[in-house]
Short mmCIF file of all heavy atoms in Angstrom, two decimals:
data_model
loop_
_atom_site.label_atom_id
_atom_site.label_comp_id
_atom_site.label_asym_id
_atom_site.label_seq_id
_atom_site.Cartn_x
_atom_site.Cartn_y
_atom_site.Cartn_z
N SER A 1 37.45 -333.95 -83.44
CA SER A 1 38.76 -333.14 -83.62
C SER A 1 38.58 -331.82 -82.84
O SER A 1 39.71 -331.27 -82.75
CB SER A 1 38.86 -332.97 -85.10
OG SER A 1 37.98 -331.93 -85.58
N GLY A 2 37.50 -331.33 -82.47
CA GLY A 2 37.46 -330.13 -81.62
C GLY A 2 37.49 -328.86 -82.52
O GLY A 2 37.64 -327.77 -82.00
N ALA A 3 37.39 -329.09 -83.84
CA ALA A 3 37.59 -327.91 -84.78
C ALA A 3 36.30 -327.06 -84.66
O ALA A 3 35.19 -327.57 -84.44
CB ALA A 3 37.60 -328.39 -86.23
N LYS A 4 36.46 -325.75 -84.60
CA LYS A 4 35.38 -324.78 -84.51
C LYS A 4 34.95 -324.37 -85.90
O LYS A 4 35.78 -324.16 -86.83
CB LYS A 4 35.94 -323.52 -83.77
CG LYS A 4 36.42 -323.96 -82.42
CD LYS A 4 35.38 -324.58 -81.46
CE LYS A 4 36.01 -324.88 -80.11
NZ LYS A 4 35.23 -325.76 -79.42
N VAL A 5 33.66 -324.32 -86.14
CA VAL A 5 33.15 -323.94 -87.47
C VAL A 5 32.29 -322.84 -87.38
O VAL A 5 31.42 -322.83 -86.46
CB VAL A 5 32.39 -325.26 -88.00
CG1 VAL A 5 31.85 -324.96 -89.44
CG2 VAL A 5 33.37 -326.42 -88.22
N ILE A 6 32.14 -321.91 -88.40
CA ILE A 6 31.17 -320.94 -88.49
C ILE A 6 30.32 -321.21 -89.72
O ILE A 6 30.95 -321.32 -90.84
CB ILE A 6 31.86 -319.50 -88.50
CG1 ILE A 6 32.69 -319.28 -87.30
CG2 ILE A 6 30.69 -318.49 -88.80
CD1 ILE A 6 33.55 -317.96 -87.46
N PHE A 7 29.05 -321.42 -89.48
CA PHE A 7 28.09 -321.62 -90.53
C PHE A 7 27.43 -320.26 -90.89
O PHE A 7 26.92 -319.56 -89.98
CB PHE A 7 27.16 -322.61 -90.24
CG PHE A 7 27.54 -323.88 -89.86
CD1 PHE A 7 27.82 -324.27 -88.53
CD2 PHE A 7 27.83 -324.92 -90.76
CE1 PHE A 7 28.30 -325.58 -88.17
CE2 PHE A 7 28.32 -326.18 -90.52
CZ PHE A 7 28.51 -326.56 -89.21
N VAL A 8 27.42 -319.85 -92.14
CA VAL A 8 26.70 -318.64 -92.47
C VAL A 8 25.56 -319.04 -93.37
O VAL A 8 25.82 -319.57 -94.46
CB VAL A 8 27.68 -317.69 -93.20
CG1 VAL A 8 26.86 -316.33 -93.64
CG2 VAL A 8 28.85 -317.21 -92.27
N VAL A 9 24.33 -318.73 -92.98
CA VAL A 9 23.12 -319.10 -93.83
C VAL A 9 22.39 -317.86 -94.14
O VAL A 9 22.07 -317.01 -93.34
CB VAL A 9 22.24 -320.02 -92.77
CG1 VAL A 9 21.02 -320.37 -93.66
CG2 VAL A 9 22.97 -321.30 -92.37
N THR A 10 22.10 -317.71 -95.45
CA THR A 10 21.28 -316.52 -95.91
C THR A 10 19.82 -317.02 -95.86
O THR A 10 19.52 -318.11 -96.12
CB THR A 10 21.73 -316.04 -97.15
OG1 THR A 10 21.50 -317.17 -98.20
CG2 THR A 10 23.16 -315.62 -97.15
N ARG A 11 18.95 -316.03 -95.49
CA ARG A 11 17.59 -316.31 -95.49
C ARG A 11 16.80 -315.01 -96.06
O ARG A 11 16.96 -313.86 -95.57
CB ARG A 11 17.09 -316.44 -94.02
CG ARG A 11 15.65 -316.79 -93.85
CD ARG A 11 15.37 -317.17 -92.43
NE ARG A 11 13.98 -317.59 -92.37
CZ ARG A 11 13.32 -317.64 -91.33
NH1 ARG A 11 13.76 -317.25 -90.24
NH2 ARG A 11 12.04 -318.01 -91.39
N PRO A 12 16.21 -315.34 -97.16
CA PRO A 12 15.46 -314.05 -97.75
C PRO A 12 14.25 -313.68 -96.80
O PRO A 12 13.76 -314.44 -96.16
CB PRO A 12 14.88 -314.72 -99.04
CG PRO A 12 14.71 -316.16 -98.85
CD PRO A 12 15.93 -316.51 -97.87
N ALA A 13 14.10 -312.34 -96.92
CA ALA A 13 12.86 -311.84 -96.16
C ALA A 13 11.60 -312.23 -96.84
O ALA A 13 11.42 -312.14 -98.10
CB ALA A 13 12.90 -310.42 -96.17
N LEU A 14 10.69 -312.97 -96.28
CA LEU A 14 9.45 -313.46 -96.78
C LEU A 14 8.31 -312.81 -96.10
O LEU A 14 8.21 -312.62 -94.90
CB LEU A 14 9.44 -315.05 -96.63
CG LEU A 14 10.50 -315.76 -97.23
CD1 LEU A 14 10.57 -317.27 -96.90
CD2 LEU A 14 10.45 -315.71 -98.81
N SER A 15 7.32 -312.58 -96.91
CA SER A 15 6.05 -311.99 -96.47
C SER A 15 5.15 -313.29 -95.77
O SER A 15 5.52 -314.43 -96.01
CB SER A 15 5.23 -311.42 -97.50
OG SER A 15 4.82 -312.33 -98.55
N ALA A 16 4.17 -312.85 -94.99
CA ALA A 16 3.32 -313.87 -94.28
C ALA A 16 2.65 -314.72 -95.35
O ALA A 16 2.34 -315.90 -94.95
CB ALA A 16 2.48 -313.17 -93.36
N ASP A 17 2.38 -314.26 -96.51
CA ASP A 17 1.70 -315.13 -97.47
C ASP A 17 2.53 -315.99 -98.37
O ASP A 17 2.04 -316.40 -99.37
CB ASP A 17 0.69 -314.27 -98.28
CG ASP A 17 1.35 -313.24 -99.02
OD1 ASP A 17 2.53 -312.91 -98.86
OD2 ASP A 17 0.63 -312.50 -99.86
N ALA A 18 3.87 -316.01 -98.04
CA ALA A 18 4.75 -316.81 -98.98
C ALA A 18 4.43 -318.26 -98.81
O ALA A 18 4.16 -318.73 -97.75
CB ALA A 18 6.21 -316.60 -98.50
N PRO A 19 4.54 -319.01 -99.94
CA PRO A 19 4.05 -320.46 -99.91
C PRO A 19 5.18 -321.33 -99.41
O PRO A 19 5.91 -321.96 -100.12
CB PRO A 19 3.80 -320.75 -101.37
CG PRO A 19 4.70 -319.76 -102.00
CD PRO A 19 4.72 -318.54 -101.24
N ILE A 20 5.26 -321.35 -98.08
CA ILE A 20 6.24 -322.08 -97.40
C ILE A 20 5.63 -323.29 -96.61
O ILE A 20 4.64 -322.98 -95.85
CB ILE A 20 7.09 -321.20 -96.41
CG1 ILE A 20 7.76 -320.12 -97.08
CG2 ILE A 20 8.14 -322.01 -95.56
CD1 ILE A 20 8.81 -320.52 -98.09
N SER A 21 6.18 -324.40 -96.76
CA SER A 21 5.62 -325.54 -96.14
C SER A 21 5.97 -325.49 -94.56
O SER A 21 6.87 -324.85 -94.21
CB SER A 21 6.05 -326.89 -96.66
OG SER A 21 7.42 -327.04 -96.42
N PRO A 22 5.14 -326.02 -93.68
CA PRO A 22 5.51 -326.09 -92.29
C PRO A 22 6.80 -326.61 -91.92
O PRO A 22 7.44 -326.18 -91.03
CB PRO A 22 4.44 -327.01 -91.69
CG PRO A 22 3.27 -326.95 -92.67
CD PRO A 22 3.97 -326.84 -93.94
N GLN A 23 7.51 -327.56 -92.74
CA GLN A 23 8.80 -328.04 -92.42
C GLN A 23 9.83 -327.02 -92.52
O GLN A 23 10.84 -326.99 -92.04
CB GLN A 23 9.02 -329.18 -93.40
CG GLN A 23 8.25 -330.47 -93.21
CD GLN A 23 6.99 -330.39 -94.10
OE1 GLN A 23 6.60 -329.41 -94.63
NE2 GLN A 23 6.32 -331.48 -93.93
N LEU A 24 9.56 -325.90 -93.36
CA LEU A 24 10.59 -324.80 -93.56
C LEU A 24 10.30 -323.63 -92.82
O LEU A 24 10.89 -322.66 -93.09
CB LEU A 24 10.62 -324.57 -95.03
CG LEU A 24 11.04 -325.82 -96.04
CD1 LEU A 24 11.20 -325.37 -97.40
CD2 LEU A 24 12.47 -326.26 -95.62
N ALA A 25 9.18 -323.60 -92.06
CA ALA A 25 8.74 -322.37 -91.47
C ALA A 25 9.65 -321.91 -90.19
O ALA A 25 9.76 -320.81 -89.92
CB ALA A 25 7.35 -322.57 -90.95
N GLY A 26 10.42 -322.86 -89.74
CA GLY A 26 11.39 -322.53 -88.68
C GLY A 26 12.61 -321.85 -89.09
O GLY A 26 13.11 -322.13 -90.18
N SER A 27 13.09 -320.99 -88.21
CA SER A 27 14.30 -320.29 -88.57
C SER A 27 15.51 -321.14 -88.45
O SER A 27 15.57 -321.93 -87.59
CB SER A 27 14.42 -319.00 -87.52
OG SER A 27 15.73 -318.73 -87.44
N PRO A 28 16.54 -321.00 -89.36
CA PRO A 28 17.76 -321.88 -89.10
C PRO A 28 18.37 -321.55 -87.76
O PRO A 28 18.93 -322.54 -87.13
CB PRO A 28 18.59 -321.35 -90.34
CG PRO A 28 17.67 -320.86 -91.31
CD PRO A 28 16.49 -320.23 -90.54
N ALA A 29 18.31 -320.26 -87.30
CA ALA A 29 18.92 -320.11 -86.06
C ALA A 29 18.20 -320.69 -84.86
O ALA A 29 18.83 -321.24 -84.06
CB ALA A 29 19.00 -318.57 -85.86
N ASP A 30 16.77 -320.72 -84.95
CA ASP A 30 16.07 -321.35 -83.95
C ASP A 30 16.40 -322.94 -83.84
O ASP A 30 16.57 -323.52 -82.83
CB ASP A 30 14.61 -321.24 -84.18
CG ASP A 30 14.13 -319.82 -83.97
OD1 ASP A 30 14.88 -319.07 -83.25
OD2 ASP A 30 13.18 -319.40 -84.45
N ILE A 31 16.53 -323.43 -85.03
CA ILE A 31 16.86 -324.96 -85.03
C ILE A 31 18.29 -325.27 -84.61
O ILE A 31 18.41 -326.05 -83.88
CB ILE A 31 16.61 -325.40 -86.55
CG1 ILE A 31 15.22 -325.44 -87.05
CG2 ILE A 31 17.16 -326.83 -86.65
CD1 ILE A 31 14.97 -325.47 -88.52
N ALA A 32 19.17 -324.46 -85.03
CA ALA A 32 20.64 -324.54 -84.48
C ALA A 32 20.58 -324.43 -82.96
O ALA A 32 21.27 -325.17 -82.28
CB ALA A 32 21.56 -323.61 -85.15
N ARG A 33 19.88 -323.46 -82.45
CA ARG A 33 19.79 -323.18 -80.94
C ARG A 33 19.40 -324.40 -80.27
O ARG A 33 19.93 -324.83 -79.25
CB ARG A 33 19.23 -321.89 -80.62
CG ARG A 33 19.35 -321.51 -79.30
CD ARG A 33 18.54 -320.04 -78.96
NE ARG A 33 19.05 -319.12 -79.84
CZ ARG A 33 18.19 -318.58 -80.76
NH1 ARG A 33 16.94 -318.98 -80.90
NH2 ARG A 33 18.68 -317.54 -81.54
N ALA A 34 18.28 -325.02 -80.81
CA ALA A 34 17.66 -326.14 -80.25
C ALA A 34 18.61 -327.34 -80.25
O ALA A 34 18.60 -328.25 -79.42
CB ALA A 34 16.40 -326.57 -80.99
N LEU A 35 19.61 -327.26 -81.16
CA LEU A 35 20.58 -328.40 -81.15
C LEU A 35 21.90 -328.19 -80.42
O LEU A 35 22.94 -328.83 -80.41
CB LEU A 35 21.04 -328.68 -82.72
CG LEU A 35 19.88 -329.25 -83.57
CD1 LEU A 35 20.31 -329.35 -85.05
CD2 LEU A 35 19.50 -330.70 -83.05
N GLY A 36 21.92 -326.90 -79.66
CA GLY A 36 22.97 -326.56 -78.79
C GLY A 36 24.00 -325.72 -79.50
O GLY A 36 25.09 -325.49 -78.77
N LEU A 37 23.88 -325.21 -80.64
CA LEU A 37 24.90 -324.34 -81.28
C LEU A 37 24.61 -322.86 -80.91
O LEU A 37 23.60 -322.39 -80.55
CB LEU A 37 24.78 -324.37 -82.80
CG LEU A 37 24.99 -325.75 -83.48
CD1 LEU A 37 24.82 -325.65 -84.91
CD2 LEU A 37 26.59 -326.10 -83.17
N ASN A 38 25.72 -322.16 -80.77
CA ASN A 38 25.63 -320.68 -80.61
C ASN A 38 25.11 -320.12 -81.95
O ASN A 38 25.28 -320.57 -83.15
CB ASN A 38 27.00 -320.13 -80.48
CG ASN A 38 27.68 -320.54 -79.20
OD1 ASN A 38 26.99 -320.66 -78.14
ND2 ASN A 38 28.96 -320.85 -79.25
N THR A 39 24.29 -319.03 -81.80
CA THR A 39 23.72 -318.44 -82.93
C THR A 39 23.69 -316.96 -82.90
O THR A 39 23.78 -316.31 -81.92
CB THR A 39 22.13 -318.80 -83.23
OG1 THR A 39 21.48 -318.36 -82.05
CG2 THR A 39 21.93 -320.32 -83.31
N LEU A 40 23.83 -316.31 -84.07
CA LEU A 40 23.76 -314.87 -84.18
C LEU A 40 22.80 -314.57 -85.42
O LEU A 40 22.72 -315.24 -86.38
CB LEU A 40 25.18 -314.33 -84.41
CG LEU A 40 26.14 -314.47 -83.40
CD1 LEU A 40 27.48 -314.01 -83.92
CD2 LEU A 40 25.76 -313.56 -82.17
N ARG A 41 21.98 -313.60 -85.15
CA ARG A 41 21.26 -313.12 -86.35
C ARG A 41 21.66 -311.68 -86.71
O ARG A 41 21.65 -310.76 -85.88
CB ARG A 41 19.65 -313.05 -85.91
CG ARG A 41 19.11 -314.43 -85.90
CD ARG A 41 17.57 -314.24 -85.59
NE ARG A 41 16.93 -315.63 -85.78
CZ ARG A 41 16.14 -316.02 -84.88
NH1 ARG A 41 15.92 -315.42 -83.70
NH2 ARG A 41 15.64 -317.31 -84.99
N VAL A 42 21.74 -311.55 -88.08
CA VAL A 42 22.16 -310.22 -88.43
C VAL A 42 21.60 -309.81 -89.82
O VAL A 42 21.11 -310.73 -90.50
CB VAL A 42 23.79 -310.12 -88.62
CG1 VAL A 42 24.42 -310.27 -87.25
CG2 VAL A 42 24.29 -311.17 -89.77
N GLY A 43 21.75 -308.50 -90.30
CA GLY A 43 21.44 -308.17 -91.69
C GLY A 43 22.61 -308.20 -92.50
O GLY A 43 23.68 -308.63 -91.98
N PRO A 44 22.45 -307.94 -93.83
CA PRO A 44 23.53 -308.03 -94.72
C PRO A 44 24.80 -307.40 -94.37
O PRO A 44 25.83 -307.63 -94.58
CB PRO A 44 22.93 -307.55 -96.02
CG PRO A 44 21.56 -307.63 -95.81
CD PRO A 44 21.13 -307.44 -94.40
N ASN A 45 24.59 -306.12 -93.79
CA ASN A 45 25.77 -305.29 -93.36
C ASN A 45 26.41 -305.68 -92.09
O ASN A 45 27.46 -305.13 -91.61
CB ASN A 45 25.27 -303.85 -93.21
CG ASN A 45 24.82 -303.29 -94.56
OD1 ASN A 45 25.26 -303.69 -95.54
ND2 ASN A 45 23.85 -302.25 -94.46
N GLY A 46 25.79 -306.71 -91.28
CA GLY A 46 26.43 -307.16 -90.00
C GLY A 46 27.17 -308.44 -90.13
O GLY A 46 27.72 -308.93 -89.02
N VAL A 47 27.50 -309.03 -91.37
CA VAL A 47 28.16 -310.17 -91.35
C VAL A 47 29.59 -310.19 -90.88
O VAL A 47 30.04 -311.08 -90.16
CB VAL A 47 28.14 -310.77 -92.92
CG1 VAL A 47 28.95 -312.10 -93.05
CG2 VAL A 47 26.71 -310.99 -93.33
N GLY A 48 30.33 -309.25 -91.21
CA GLY A 48 31.68 -309.04 -90.79
C GLY A 48 31.86 -309.06 -89.39
O GLY A 48 32.73 -309.66 -88.75
N ASP A 49 31.09 -308.13 -88.66
CA ASP A 49 31.07 -308.22 -87.19
C ASP A 49 30.65 -309.46 -86.58
O ASP A 49 31.32 -310.03 -85.62
CB ASP A 49 30.29 -307.09 -86.71
CG ASP A 49 30.71 -305.72 -87.00
OD1 ASP A 49 31.97 -305.53 -87.35
OD2 ASP A 49 29.95 -304.68 -87.08
N ALA A 50 29.64 -310.13 -87.10
CA ALA A 50 29.24 -311.30 -86.63
C ALA A 50 30.20 -312.50 -86.77
O ALA A 50 30.52 -313.23 -85.82
CB ALA A 50 27.93 -311.80 -87.39
N VAL A 51 30.98 -312.48 -87.85
CA VAL A 51 32.09 -313.55 -87.96
C VAL A 51 33.14 -313.17 -86.93
O VAL A 51 33.70 -314.17 -86.35
CB VAL A 51 32.63 -313.47 -89.41
CG1 VAL A 51 33.96 -314.32 -89.56
CG2 VAL A 51 31.58 -314.09 -90.38
N ALA A 52 33.45 -311.92 -86.76
CA ALA A 52 34.49 -311.65 -85.76
C ALA A 52 34.10 -312.05 -84.41
O ALA A 52 34.92 -312.52 -83.70
CB ALA A 52 34.75 -310.05 -85.78
N ARG A 53 32.82 -311.88 -84.07
CA ARG A 53 32.35 -312.32 -82.74
C ARG A 53 32.29 -313.87 -82.57
O ARG A 53 32.52 -314.30 -81.42
CB ARG A 53 30.95 -311.76 -82.44
CG ARG A 53 30.87 -310.26 -82.31
CD ARG A 53 29.42 -309.72 -82.16
NE ARG A 53 28.59 -310.53 -81.17
CZ ARG A 53 27.41 -310.41 -81.09
NH1 ARG A 53 26.61 -309.73 -81.99
NH2 ARG A 53 26.73 -311.11 -80.20
N ALA A 54 32.11 -314.44 -83.61
CA ALA A 54 31.87 -316.03 -83.61
C ALA A 54 33.29 -316.73 -83.70
O ALA A 54 33.35 -317.93 -83.40
CB ALA A 54 31.07 -316.40 -84.71
N ARG A 55 34.38 -316.09 -84.00
CA ARG A 55 35.65 -316.59 -84.10
C ARG A 55 36.05 -317.38 -82.89
O ARG A 55 35.79 -316.98 -81.71
CB ARG A 55 36.72 -315.65 -84.46
CG ARG A 55 36.77 -315.17 -85.90
CD ARG A 55 38.14 -314.69 -86.25
NE ARG A 55 38.07 -314.42 -87.60
CZ ARG A 55 37.97 -313.04 -88.15
NH1 ARG A 55 37.89 -312.10 -87.23
NH2 ARG A 55 37.92 -312.93 -89.43
N GLY A 56 36.51 -318.69 -82.97
CA GLY A 56 36.86 -319.54 -81.87
C GLY A 56 35.83 -320.36 -81.22
O GLY A 56 35.93 -321.08 -80.37
N THR A 57 34.53 -320.29 -81.86
CA THR A 57 33.45 -321.05 -81.34
C THR A 57 32.74 -321.71 -82.67
O THR A 57 32.94 -321.26 -83.82
CB THR A 57 32.34 -320.11 -80.69
OG1 THR A 57 31.76 -319.19 -81.70
CG2 THR A 57 32.96 -319.21 -79.61
N THR A 58 31.85 -322.62 -82.33
CA THR A 58 30.97 -323.16 -83.34
C THR A 58 29.70 -322.42 -83.31
O THR A 58 29.00 -322.40 -82.37
CB THR A 58 30.72 -324.69 -83.22
OG1 THR A 58 32.04 -325.26 -83.33
CG2 THR A 58 29.86 -325.30 -84.22
N THR A 59 29.45 -321.66 -84.42
CA THR A 59 28.34 -320.69 -84.46
C THR A 59 27.59 -320.80 -85.82
O THR A 59 28.23 -320.88 -86.72
CB THR A 59 28.83 -319.28 -84.16
OG1 THR A 59 29.40 -319.27 -82.83
CG2 THR A 59 27.75 -318.37 -84.16
N LEU A 60 26.28 -320.65 -85.82
CA LEU A 60 25.53 -320.42 -87.04
C LEU A 60 25.12 -319.00 -87.04
O LEU A 60 24.63 -318.47 -86.10
CB LEU A 60 24.24 -321.34 -87.07
CG LEU A 60 23.38 -321.16 -88.26
CD1 LEU A 60 23.04 -322.44 -88.94
CD2 LEU A 60 22.26 -320.32 -88.07
N ILE A 61 25.47 -318.33 -88.09
CA ILE A 61 25.07 -316.96 -88.37
C ILE A 61 23.95 -316.90 -89.35
O ILE A 61 24.14 -317.28 -90.49
CB ILE A 61 26.21 -316.13 -88.79
CG1 ILE A 61 27.39 -316.12 -87.78
CG2 ILE A 61 25.80 -314.63 -89.05
CD1 ILE A 61 28.62 -315.50 -88.29
N GLU A 62 22.84 -316.42 -89.06
CA GLU A 62 21.70 -316.30 -89.88
C GLU A 62 21.68 -314.83 -90.42
O GLU A 62 21.45 -313.95 -89.62
CB GLU A 62 20.41 -316.65 -89.21
CG GLU A 62 19.18 -316.57 -90.05
CD GLU A 62 17.88 -316.96 -89.43
OE1 GLU A 62 17.93 -318.03 -88.76
OE2 GLU A 62 16.96 -316.05 -89.40
N VAL A 63 21.80 -314.68 -91.68
CA VAL A 63 21.75 -313.40 -92.39
C VAL A 63 20.35 -313.23 -93.06
O VAL A 63 20.07 -314.02 -94.06
CB VAL A 63 22.85 -313.24 -93.26
CG1 VAL A 63 22.92 -311.93 -93.96
CG2 VAL A 63 24.22 -313.56 -92.79
N THR A 64 19.54 -312.36 -92.66
CA THR A 64 18.30 -311.99 -93.14
C THR A 64 18.49 -311.04 -94.28
O THR A 64 18.80 -309.89 -94.03
CB THR A 64 17.20 -311.64 -92.19
OG1 THR A 64 17.13 -312.65 -91.18
CG2 THR A 64 15.86 -311.35 -92.96
N LEU A 65 18.19 -311.51 -95.55
CA LEU A 65 18.32 -310.53 -96.68
C LEU A 65 17.11 -309.68 -96.74
O LEU A 65 16.02 -309.99 -96.39
CB LEU A 65 18.37 -311.32 -98.00
CG LEU A 65 19.51 -312.41 -98.07
CD1 LEU A 65 19.53 -313.21 -99.32
CD2 LEU A 65 20.92 -311.66 -97.80
N GLU A 66 17.32 -308.38 -97.03
CA GLU A 66 16.26 -307.38 -97.12
C GLU A 66 15.49 -307.64 -98.37
O GLU A 66 16.07 -307.79 -99.47
CB GLU A 66 16.89 -306.09 -96.96
CG GLU A 66 17.57 -305.84 -95.62
CD GLU A 66 18.47 -304.63 -95.54
OE1 GLU A 66 18.71 -303.99 -96.58
OE2 GLU A 66 19.02 -304.35 -94.50
N GLY A 67 14.13 -307.45 -98.30
CA GLY A 67 13.30 -307.78 -99.35
C GLY A 67 12.85 -306.52 -100.20
O GLY A 67 13.21 -305.45 -100.11
#
């Protein structure tokens, strides 16, 4: 259909010793980029600007929550 979609994914800030399995160790933005999607990485205060930049494209915005 050619529809453009903006995906907004939140990601908590994790320390190096967090019990995360290898399957989840990759960043959502890295995975999306490998699949050919546009990506943006922002903090919680950058979401509005990122959505404005992404309008008209299919983009994944990864929001890293501060710990």
Side-chain angles (χ1 to χ4, degrees):
S1 73
K4 305 300 181 190
V5 178
I6 299 173
F7 300 95
V8 179
V9 178
T10 59
R11 184 172 184 201
L14 299 173
S15 63
D17 61 348
I20 301 294
S21 67
Q23 294 87 351
L24 299 176
S27 155
D30 291 340
I31 296 167
R33 190 175 307 108
L35 295 171
L37 293 175
N38 297 320
T39 61
L40 295 169
R41 285 187 169 130
V42 298
N45 296 328
V47 176
D49 290 336
V51 169
R53 288 177 50 200
R55 280 198 178 107
T57 67
T58 297
T59 301
L60 180 133
I61 300 170
E62 181 180 305
V63 183
T64 301
L65 303 176
E66 298 165 355

